[in-house]
Amino acid sequence: MLPGDRHLVHWIYYLETDPEVKTFDFTSAYERDSDRFWVVDVIRSNGTRINHQIGRGAGEGGEATQLQKDPSSDNASRLENRVFTDEDFEPHVKVSLRWLKPIGFATALRNHEYPHQTLILLDYFKQRKNGDIGQILSNPDVCKYEPALILGLIARLAIRGHIQLDLTVNSFGYRTPWIWSIKEH
């Protein structure tokens, strides 16, 4: 359970929907001046580790990045710390809240892979490169499946970084634009 709005925005924008984040783990939470202070161990897709810390204001360091030795590592590798403040979260509040709906669709599929439908969607995305959700749902290869299933898979593929959803103007729906984000070599 997330204790506050800043934690929710951090989780959605900087962890759950960032395709560069491979895994994350909430490593500690403690009271600090009557506010929860969290540390999240983040492993990015390029293998680097960053500790995310959630603070309250500019006096706590803003987007401060510090390098320190990782005590859990045998080779004493460098570990980046980043403190997030309200100033970091404010520009992302609306988009983060718009992500709640697609995250809900993806969560409903949590324990199921649906490989056949996923491959159909990936092929669709690769062929078309961009479009909107309504076009996907009206495609003959896709429309034979339950729309909620397809929406959940679309959200899952966006979270995994295969496509990018544009939620800057409107919430998740038939007119939500998407673009293929896999770079082909």
Side-chain angles (χ1 to χ4, degrees), residues 7-8 20 36 46 60 65 69-70 94 99 108 113 124-125 135 145-146 156 167 184:
H7 297 86
L8 177 66
E20 295 300 314
R36 303 274 300 173
N46 66 4
E60 294 187 37
T65 299
K69 300 224 181 214
D70 177 4
K94 284 184 182 180
W99 268 102
E113 286 302 313
Y124 179 92
F125 296 142
Q135 293 168 331
Y145 300 104
E146 178 66 33
R156 178 187 286 171
L167 299 175
E184 307 210 22

Side-chain angles (χ1 to χ4, degrees), residues 104-125:
F105 276 107
T107 300
L109 309 178
R110 180 177 298 152
N111 297 319
H112 306 284
E113 286 302 313
Y114 300 102
H116 179 71
Q117 294 88 340
T118 300
L119 289 174
I120 289 171
L121 285 173
L122 287 171
D123 187 49
Y124 179 92
F125 296 142

Side-chain angles (χ1 to χ4, degrees), residues 17 95 98-99 101-103 125 131-133 136 151 153-159 161-168 170-173 176-181:
T17 64
V95 170
R98 289 178 182 146
W99 268 102
K101 186 175 178 182
I103 288 171
F125 296 142
D132 64 43
I133 302 292
I136 299 168
L151 292 171
L153 291 173
I154 290 169
R156 178 187 286 171
L157 292 170
I159 290 168
H162 294 280
I163 61 169
Q164 293 176 4
L165 297 177
D166 182 357
L167 299 175
T168 57
N170 293 310
S171 62
F172 186 67
T176 301
W178 64 269
I179 60 169
W180 177 247
S181 59

Side-chain angles (χ1 to χ4, degrees), residues 38-134:
W38 285 34
V39 177
V40 183
D41 182 23
V42 177
I43 299 176
R44 301 190 54 84
S45 58
N46 66 4
T48 60
R49 283 184 56 209
I50 302 173
N51 273 337
H52 286 198
Q53 298 175 355
I54 300 173
R56 285 191 291 175
E60 294 187 37
E63 286 197 32
T65 299
Q66 307 164 344
L67 293 177
Q68 69 181 26
K69 300 224 181 214
D70 177 4
S72 67
S73 174
D74 292 335
N75 64 3
S77 65
R78 304 192 101 190
L79 178 65
E80 184 179 341
N81 283 322
R82 180 164 179 209
V83 178
F84 293 85
T85 66
D86 291 346
E87 290 79 18
D88 298 313
F89 301 134
E90 187 176 352
H92 308 295
V93 170
K94 284 184 182 180
V95 170
S96 295
L97 293 178
R98 289 178 182 146
W99 268 102
L100 288 174
K101 186 175 178 182
I103 288 171
F105 276 107
T107 300
L109 309 178
R110 180 177 298 152
N111 297 319
H112 306 284
E113 286 302 313
Y114 300 102
H116 179 71
Q117 294 88 340
T118 300
L119 289 174
I120 289 171
L121 285 173
L122 287 171
D123 187 49
Y124 179 92
F125 296 142
K126 186 176 181 178
Q127 288 179 14
R128 288 165 183 80
K129 307 288 188 224
N130 63 57
D132 64 43
I133 302 292

